């Protein structure tokens, strides 16, 4: 997450472009993001569940937590 934060802080236009593409449900960027980000989220979620087994409270919505942290990291440079 620290590297992702540095990536967006280095050029806040990256975050703006990504947010715009996520919100535009019809553009080619949206399709690319779905093809690249969804599989990455799947891997990250599995990793957190496996490595965090016994540490993460049962029933925690892991994917939602990952998306919340990623969103906060991505949107911070815009503020």
């Amino acid at each position: 997450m620290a590297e992702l934060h540095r990536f967006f802080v280095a050029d806040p236009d990256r975050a703006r472009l990504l947010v715009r593409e996520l919100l535009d449900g019809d553009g080619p960027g949206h399709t690319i993001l779905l093809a690249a980000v969804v599989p990455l989220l799947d891997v990250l979620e599995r990793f957190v569940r496996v490595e965090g087994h016994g540490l993460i409270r049962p029933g925690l919505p892991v994917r939602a937590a990952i998306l919340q942290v990623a969103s906060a990291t991505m949107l911070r440079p815009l503020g």
Side-chain angles (χ1 to χ4, degrees):
M1 293 315 304
E3 187 57 39
L4 183 63
H5 177 66
R6 281 190 289 275
F7 176 77
F8 288 126
V9 167
D11 184 356
D13 287 337
R14 294 173 183 160
R16 289 181 182 91
L17 179 61
L18 182 57
V19 169
R20 189 174 330 128
E21 289 298 327
L22 285 170
L23 293 175
D24 179 17
D26 298 325
H30 184 79
T31 303
I32 293 167
L33 287 170
L34 287 177
V37 174
V38 171
L40 177 61
L41 282 171
D42 292 340
V43 169
L44 187 54
E45 182 179 4
R46 271 192 309 276
F47 174 80
V48 169
R49 288 186 186 281
V50 169
E51 294 300 317
H53 183 71
L55 300 172
I56 298 173
R57 106 178 126 74
L60 178 81
V62 173
R63 190 180 201 94
I66 292 168
L67 288 170
Q68 185 174 5
V69 171
S71 295
T73 300
M74 180 177 63
L75 295 174
R76 182 170 294 154
L78 300 179

